[in-house]
Amino acid sequence: MSDPRIAGASVTHFGKHPERTGRDLFAEAGLEALSQSGIDPDDAEALYYGNFMGELAEHQGHQGPLMAEAIGLDVPATRVEAACASAGTAVREAVKTIRNGEAEVVVVGGAERMTNIGTAAATDALAIAADDLYEVRAGMTFPGAYALMARSYFDQYGGSHEDLAHIAAKNHEHALVNEHAQIQQEITVEDAMEAPTIADPLGLYDSCPITDGAAAAVLTTEAYAEEHDLDAPVAITGTGQGGDNLALQDRPHLAQTPAADKAAEEAYGDAGVGPDDVDFAEVHDCFTIAEVLAIESLGFYERGEGIAAARNGETTRDGDLPINLSGGLKAKGHPVGATGVAQLATVAWLLDGSHPRADAVPDSTVGVAHNAGGTVASTTVHVMEVQE
Amino acid sequence: MTESARDGEYDEWLDSIESDDGYYLECSNGHGWLPPRRVCPRCHDQELSAVDLPESGEIASHTTITVPTPQFEDDAPYVTAIADFGPVSVTGLVRDVDPDDVAIGDVVGIDVGERVTTGDRAVVFRPR
């Protein structure tokens, strides 16, 4: 079994591109990833592609073969949908395909077009990742769902909106040098505290923006990389996925994300590492409270202690465990179906030193990507390591 | 969806709440769920029986939503909450109370109301 090497990766600028089709966004990322990999596209054997709201935003289903065509591949192509974890789940399928010997070269990616339908329709489209009968019909939005989780967290463990504001300020600061980021604007804790409320206690700066964008990566075997003299020092050494009840109301805890616990445990076990070995992580901070829940599920913090990590400077770029050096979903943007692969690309670039924030984690060898779907009813965790 | 189409056991459950005869489904190990449900996802038991829903529940978490979906445009701002009713929890709209006065632990009753925007039925909690 060979741990897949990342031979090439690319993300488009994340932001508002209402005039660009999903296929065009994905073509940009996919073609660049293939070009960077140095691999002959004829050697690609499969495409796994993440997308969530294509039917609603573009009236386009069956996007797998469409996207293969967009990057010039004639391969079996499968769209993977797990809400905001669609691309992370696509990565997992690509890893399994390479590990089980079915293919030597697999393209994995994702794209989402969201801004063309406007904020209200995008909010509506995102909401269908929740339980329609029991949550959406009771007025649940995704900011609303995470607000319920945040209030429950504060009630059980303590913490405040000001703690969350420190997470927002941190991630905005991290994004300042990321040319792919949707928001390259510094904000203060006070800015975040004073921003308009969306679903209390969460405000505008507790929420990721609505984003268009795409990401792609080319994975291959160690043997193929050696045979073709590829520059592919980063391997995906651990993969994990966990699930949970779809509706928040059916879970024993509103302030914990056991799907992420399960995914992390599986990924760490697969890689043979533990949370103490991790140098940095890209986590799914669709809302500031989500970052707190993620770093606790990943085992970096005990329950109730993750809330203060940003305020204490522990997860900032000069802290012991930098989280979301890309700016996270919060500032980098969250084109839903692309996010998991964008995280993969970011971790690879931080490990190989080519990311603009790589100076924050010099000599790092282990990075983690955590991609969550819905209110964390789906989660993937991937461990990436620099190979000798 | 045609005008006459109903969502099976979900609409039957709403009917039961509306007629003050609310219920939930319980497996033989005491795990509670809302319909439609054929199996307990916690213990795989398929012997689910209808049990009377407690008359009152307790708010577990709540939020006032100011940026709604189009289906709730005229409802906003509104309070959505999860309330615990014994072995089951239910998500609903909190009515008849100032949003600023809603708190975790508040005791509420369950009812069916109308969404302002669409007139569709929705689960509603009111202070008791």
Side-chain angles (χ1 to χ4, degrees):
Chain A
M1 188 179 75
S2 170
D3 283 332
R5 296 295 184 97
I6 301 169
S10 178
V11 299
T12 66
H13 177 260
F14 281 4
K16 292 183 179 179
H17 304 290
E19 76 291 355
R20 291 185 62 185
T21 59
R23 69 186 80 182
D24 180 56
L25 289 163
F26 184 69
E28 179 189 332
L31 291 171
E32 176 61 24
L34 279 164
S35 173
Q36 278 189 14
S37 74
I39 293 175
D40 184 338
D42 285 341
D43 284 359
E45 295 166 274
L47 168 68
Y48 292 98
Y49 169 80
N51 175 262
F52 173 57
M53 59 171 68
E55 288 87 349
L56 296 172
E58 294 197 284
H59 198 245
Q60 183 64 64
H62 204 185
Q63 292 196 13
L66 177 72
M67 296 306 174
E69 187 180 330
I71 58 172
L73 300 184
D74 178 15
V75 296
T78 307
R79 171 184 162 190
V80 181
E81 190 272 300
C84 310
S86 294
T89 312
V91 170
R92 187 167 156 79
E93 293 307 307
V95 169
K96 288 192 284 189
T97 299
I98 285 185
R99 280 183 168 180
N100 69 22
E102 283 183 43
E104 281 194 302
V105 177
V106 176
V107 179
V108 62
E112 208 73 64
R113 189 180 184 197
M114 302 173 73
T115 68
N116 59 311
I117 57 176
T119 299
T123 302
D124 195 28
L126 290 165
I128 66 170
D131 183 323
D132 178 64
L133 296 182
Y134 282 106
E135 294 186 305
V136 179
R137 297 184 192 195
M140 187 86 93
T141 60
F142 260 87
Y146 277 88
L148 292 170
M149 297 166 87
R151 177 162 272 124
S152 180
Y153 187 100
F154 295 163
D155 182 63
Q156 289 185 46
Y157 302 120
S160 67
H161 189 217
E162 188 171 345
D163 291 314
L164 298 179
H166 278 271
I167 295 170
K170 166 182 76 73
N171 289 346
H172 274 252
E173 199 276 338
H174 286 174
L176 289 176
V177 297
N178 181 0
E179 64 181 16
H180 301 296
Q182 183 166 5
I183 305 171
Q184 288 181 272
Q185 176 192 345
E186 200 158 11
I187 63 166
T188 65
V189 170
E190 290 71 29
D191 291 335
M193 294 287 289
E194 292 166 8
T197 300
I198 292 177
D200 78 318
L202 303 182
L204 184 64
Y205 285 151
D206 291 296
S207 309
C208 65
I210 292 169
T211 313
D212 305 311
V218 182
L219 309 186
T220 189
T221 62
E222 183 180 346
Y224 184 101
E226 284 181 4
E227 184 184 341
H228 293 81
D229 197 23
L230 302 180
D231 180 22
V234 178
I236 303 172
T237 57
T239 180
Q241 183 174 351
D244 202 349
N245 301 103
L246 185 67
L248 278 177
Q249 67 185 23
D250 290 330
R251 301 183 196 167
H253 302 284
L254 297 179
Q256 296 182 15
T257 50
D261 295 19
K262 289 179 256 183
E265 184 180 353
E266 184 182 4
Y268 289 145
D270 192 25
V273 302
D276 291 345
D277 299 311
V278 176
D279 295 306
F280 63 88
E282 288 287 306
V283 307
H284 197 98
D285 61 325
C286 49
F287 300 93
T288 46
I289 185 66
E291 179 167 310
V292 177
L293 300 173
I295 61 178
E296 293 182 0
S297 282
L298 288 165
F300 303 145
Y301 289 88
E302 297 294 323
R303 305 281 183 211
E305 295 183 0
I307 187 78
R311 181 199 282 264
N312 293 341
E314 295 154 7
T315 52
T316 55
R317 64 187 168 92
D318 53 358
D320 288 342
L321 181 66
I323 299 292
N324 286 329
L325 283 164
S326 66
L329 284 54
K330 174 70 202 76
K332 180 183 62 182
H334 181 28
V336 175
T339 286
V341 173
Q343 291 176 319
L344 184 86
T346 299
V347 172
W349 294 333
L350 287 163
L351 286 172
D352 72 18
S354 62
H355 191 279
R357 285 291 186 212
D359 59 349
V361 284
D363 306 319
S364 59
T365 57
V366 183
V368 161
H370 158 282
N371 187 200
T375 47
V376 202
S378 297
T379 310
T380 61
V381 171
H382 287 97
V383 177
M384 280 159 269
E385 297 184 68
V386 177
Q387 302 296 294
E388 293 301 322
Chain B
M1 187 186 301
T2 62
E3 196 172 322
S4 59
R6 284 164 55 90
D7 286 315
E9 292 169 74
Y10 171 75
D11 273 321
E12 290 172 16
W13 181 77
L14 281 186
D15 293 344
S16 77
I17 301 292
E18 223 162 12
S19 58
D20 293 328
D21 197 21
Y23 65 93
Y24 65 92
L25 302 178
E26 188 175 75
C27 75
S28 54
N29 291 311
H31 303 133
W33 306 96
L34 298 173
R37 185 81 66 167
R38 290 173 184 247
V39 62
C40 174
R42 200 156 295 154
C43 64
H44 316 300
D45 184 18
Q46 295 189 33
E47 299 300 317
L48 305 182
S49 52
V51 176
D52 289 346
L53 192 72
E55 288 186 4
S56 61
E58 198 170 282
I59 287 182
S61 194
H62 61 93
T63 179
T64 301
I65 292 175
T66 45
V67 179
T69 64
Q71 287 76 29
F72 282 84
E73 188 175 359
D74 296 332
D75 293 70
Y78 58 90
V79 180
T80 289
I82 295 174
D84 296 333
F85 290 80
V88 291
S89 297
V90 187
T91 310
L93 301 164
V94 181
R95 296 261 173 90
D96 297 349
V97 58
D98 188 309
D100 291 339
D101 293 336
V102 179
I104 291 174
D106 282 356
V107 176
V108 293
I110 188 168
D111 197 357
V112 173
E114 284 192 353
R115 293 191 228 163
V116 176
T117 311
T118 65
D120 291 330
R121 295 195 295 177
V123 173
V124 163
F125 302 137
R126 302 182 202 281
R128 287 183 74 96

